[in-house]
Amino acid sequence: MKVLHWERKRAPAGDGSWVEYEVLGRGMPVLLANGLAGPREVWTDLVRQQHDRYRFITWNYRGLLQAETNGASRSARSVAEHARDACAVLDAEAIPGCCGVGWAMGVQTALELFSLAPNRVSSLILLSGG
């Protein structure tokens, strides 16, 4: 089975800290919004099958998956803050618009991104938003 090699990057956040994110593939950009504390590995099958057609971008929700050592608080952040982080990632990648895919809490994050910047979301795929 082919091993996927995600490129790890960082984008400047609006509060002076950094958002860690990863990119893999080429083609139309697809922003993957994970579930609460869900790693990007939940998307492995999708990405493995489609990385030749789509450019997948996913980011770590600050305050949840990694220890923050760059001066930012470790406290949980709001869905709106996660959506602003998504915008920071899109800015860093010079992506004017994308398909947003959200799973679980990522559904709320994707919807908030659409509310915050509707011109940057061409379509939404929402999974198990409960």
Side-chain angles (χ1 to χ4, degrees):
M1 188 168 285
K2 184 177 180 178
V3 176
L4 300 175
H5 296 284
W6 290 83
E7 183 179 359
R8 299 188 82 191
K9 298 183 175 188
R10 293 184 344 153
D15 63 1
S17 63
W18 297 91
V19 179
E20 296 177 3
Y21 69 99
E22 296 174 286
V23 179
L24 177 71
R26 57 183 174 271
M28 185 177 88
V30 175
L31 186 69
L32 301 172
N34 299 333
L36 181 63
R40 69 161 160 74
E41 285 78 15
V42 300
W43 306 108
T44 297
D45 289 340
L46 170 68
V47 173
R48 181 170 279 120
Q49 294 173 17
Q50 299 294 326
H51 71 278
D52 288 333
R53 289 183 65 190
Y54 300 99
R55 180 177 172 201
F56 293 99
I57 304 104
T58 189
W59 76 105
N60 290 331
Y61 296 137
R62 293 187 295 147
L64 294 178
L65 290 179
Q66 77 282 357
E68 297 186 40
T69 58
N70 56 11
S73 167
R74 289 186 183 196
S75 63
R77 297 178 184 276
S78 70
V79 171
E81 288 172 304
H82 295 314
R84 284 192 292 275
D85 285 351
C87 282
V89 169
L90 294 174
D91 289 344
E93 289 294 307
I95 296 173
C98 67
C99 171
V101 180
W103 165 63
M105 187 188 98
V107 168
Q108 289 126 10
T109 303
L111 289 169
E112 185 67 26
L113 173 62
F114 180 74
S115 176
L116 178 69
N119 58 324
R120 301 204 68 178
V121 181
S122 60
S123 57
L124 289 169
I125 299 172
L126 307 174
L127 307 164
S128 301

